[in-house]
Amino acid sequence: MNFVFAPHPIASVPIAGSEQLFPVRRIFCVGRNYAEHAREMGAADQADGREPPFFFTKPADALVCGVGELPVKYPPLTKNLHHEIEMVVALGAGGENVPVDAAQSLIFGYAVGLDLTRRDIQARAKEKSHPWDMSKGFDHSAVASEINPTSACGHPRTGRIWLTVNGQLRQQGDLSEMMWKVPDIIANLSTMVRLEAGDLIYTGTPAGVGPLQIGDVLEAGVDGVGNLSARIV
Ligand code: MN
């Protein structure tokens, strides 16, 4: 290949119990997928059932991942960096217009993730109907634990999802509270874009999002998936 400079390395995530790495293609995120969090963000209650899920993306190279305490850079241009604990779905196969009953078979594994958000920039973007990219897709905005393959963890659909900051519980919910379940999310997203092996999907956060400071230590987990540890530097 005759590139003008060396291509950047492919982002990858370690796999629990394996020497192999999961090569990342795209990172998708679901907005407002737990009712309590939708309420804390000021979204109206949905009396007549669910609105369709909405999605945004982060660049693959925004990932900070692995085992142990992950150093995460506090980003520039914000005074309100928020944590959002989320279960992450890692796809081992893709497709378009995937039926809901076929969606689960595309999943390679699950991870514990943080969808870090510059909440002040996001608030200005919402106000002006501007895009969310710079509030959601900055460097180090996507944090992930190693991936737990479905061969080891199955498909967790209930279980506690939680996050502490400096030992204090900040976020807590249960996977069963997702408004759009994992197979629905995959099926819906696959109507918009073709999904492929290597795609990660952040599945939304429970209530309790809040600000982080430099020096904060985060511990988080999803029952049946694993744990994540990070420090803001
Ligand atoms: Mn989120």
Side-chain angles (χ1 to χ4, degrees):
M1 287 294 183
N2 189 20
F3 295 116
V4 290
F5 49 81
H8 297 285
I10 292 201
S12 61
V13 186
I15 298 166
S18 168
E19 295 294 297
Q20 291 188 300
L21 297 172
F22 180 91
V24 177
R25 176 181 176 256
R26 295 182 183 170
I27 303 176
F28 299 97
C29 306
V30 186
R32 285 181 216 133
N33 201 28
Y34 290 76
E36 277 301 314
H37 172 63
R39 276 192 280 277
E40 78 181 347
M41 295 308 293
D45 273 314
Q46 295 175 25
D48 304 322
R50 302 173 294 182
E51 278 180 33
F54 70 91
F55 297 93
F56 56 91
T57 62
K58 295 177 187 260
D61 66 2
L63 263 177
V64 184
C65 60
V67 290
E69 190 179 86
L70 304 170
V72 176
K73 269 189 311 185
Y74 194 98
L77 299 175
T78 183
K79 292 189 168 67
N80 202 14
L81 176 69
H82 271 206
H83 53 78
E84 297 189 0
I85 169 73
E86 313 207 355
M87 183 169 79
V88 182
V89 174
L91 295 188
E96 52 189 38
N97 298 314
V98 176
V100 172
D101 1 358
Q104 192 157 283
S105 67
L106 304 183
I107 299 172
F108 173 84
Y110 296 85
V112 181
L114 297 174
D115 162 17
L116 294 178
T117 303
R118 293 196 277 212
R119 195 70 75 199
D120 40 4
I121 293 185
Q122 186 193 35
R124 284 199 292 278
K126 285 179 176 175
E127 217 175 84
K128 294 175 179 282
S129 301
H130 284 172
W132 281 15
D133 303 51
M134 292 303 128
S135 63
K136 287 289 196 178
F138 51 90
D139 298 339
H140 286 198
S141 59
V143 184
S145 70
E146 58 184 354
I147 293 170
N148 199 348
T150 57
S151 54
C153 72
H155 294 277
R157 294 290 176 261
T158 63
R160 190 166 166 255
I161 176 168
W162 58 272
L163 175 140
T164 66
V165 179
N166 303 326
Q168 281 205 311
L169 186 65
R170 291 268 194 94
Q171 288 192 263
Q172 177 162 233
D174 194 281
L175 296 177
S176 62
E177 295 159 8
M178 284 188 191
M179 292 191 276
W180 291 90
K181 310 300 180 196
V182 169
D184 300 314
I185 292 169
I186 293 170
N188 192 289
L189 182 55
S190 78
T191 66
M192 301 184 200
V193 288
R194 186 179 171 82
L195 297 173
E196 295 287 358
D199 290 343
L200 296 179
I201 306 171
Y202 282 63
T203 56
T205 195
V209 301
L212 292 166
Q213 314 297 337
I214 290 171
D216 282 349
V217 173
L218 293 81
E219 300 286 343
V222 178
D223 279 358
V225 175
N227 291 295
L228 171 71
S229 164
R231 177 187 292 267
I232 307 299
V233 297

